[in-house]
């Protein structure tokens, strides 16, 4: 079992970025990126000049793999296949079921009920 740890720092401009620690030696660890069990590009691994034993990792998100639905990418240690990190991108129709959408609907319904209740109070006085 590997002692590698990969922590996401950000996603920007179609690039997933993270910091890898726990690698031994001066050779960049070999990482693989998969999507639906298939290889989906590679990870660029560069030594951090400010931190010994830390590596910057960048993964270009392949635009041809993005489509409606939930797309999950796994970043693994190529040596033993252990998953170190994953990221998920949600686009299109499934967003309608997202909790934020449900919250907006609840707020709209609450506003409708408040107006109806106030109207009822005015009419019954």
């Amino acid at each position: 079992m590997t002692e590698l740890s990969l922590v996401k720092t950000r996603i920007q401009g179609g690039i997933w970025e993270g910091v890898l620690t726990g690698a031994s030696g001066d050779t960049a660890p070999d990482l693989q990126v998969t999507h639906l069990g298939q290889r989906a590009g590679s990870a660029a691994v560069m030594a951090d000049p400010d931190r010994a034993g830390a590596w910057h990792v960048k993964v270009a998100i392949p635009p041809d793999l993005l489509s409606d639905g939930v797309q999950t990418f796994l970043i693994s240690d190529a040596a033993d296949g252990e998953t170190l990190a994953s990221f998920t991108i949600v686009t299109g129709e499934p967003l309608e079921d997202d909790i934020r959408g449900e919250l907006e609907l609840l707020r709209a319904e609450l506003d409708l009920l408040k107006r109806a209740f106030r109207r009822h109070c005015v009419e019954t006085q």
Side-chain angles (χ1 to χ4, degrees):
M1 181 153 181
T2 184
E3 297 199 18
L4 296 176
S5 173
L6 181 56
V7 178
K8 174 190 160 219
T9 55
R10 68 182 182 168
I11 293 180
Q12 184 176 14
I15 307 288
W16 182 96
E17 297 180 29
V19 175
L20 179 73
T21 55
S24 59
D26 295 332
T27 305
D30 187 18
L31 303 180
Q32 63 183 7
V33 181
T34 57
H35 173 262
L36 298 175
Q38 301 296 316
R39 189 139 181 140
S42 60
V45 182
M46 298 154 288
D48 184 339
D50 299 327
R51 284 179 55 193
W55 302 82
H56 290 286
V57 177
K58 292 186 177 185
V59 174
I61 302 168
D64 57 314
L65 296 179
L66 299 179
S67 59
D68 282 350
V70 178
Q71 308 303 321
T72 300
F73 296 83
L74 302 177
I75 304 170
S76 306
D77 182 0
D80 64 9
E82 181 179 348
T83 300
L84 302 173
S86 66
F87 60 95
T88 302
I89 299 176
V90 182
T91 59
E93 296 300 319
L95 290 179
E96 290 179 6
D97 296 330
D98 188 70
I99 190 70
R100 291 173 294 227
E102 291 294 322
L103 184 59
E104 289 300 317
L105 285 173
L106 286 172
R107 284 181 179 155
E109 289 176 5
L110 182 59
D111 287 340
L112 180 69
L113 287 171
K114 286 192 308 190
R115 284 192 302 272
F117 180 72
R118 288 180 183 141
R119 189 173 45 250
H120 171 73
C121 289
V122 167
E123 290 172 357
T124 57
Q125 286 183 352

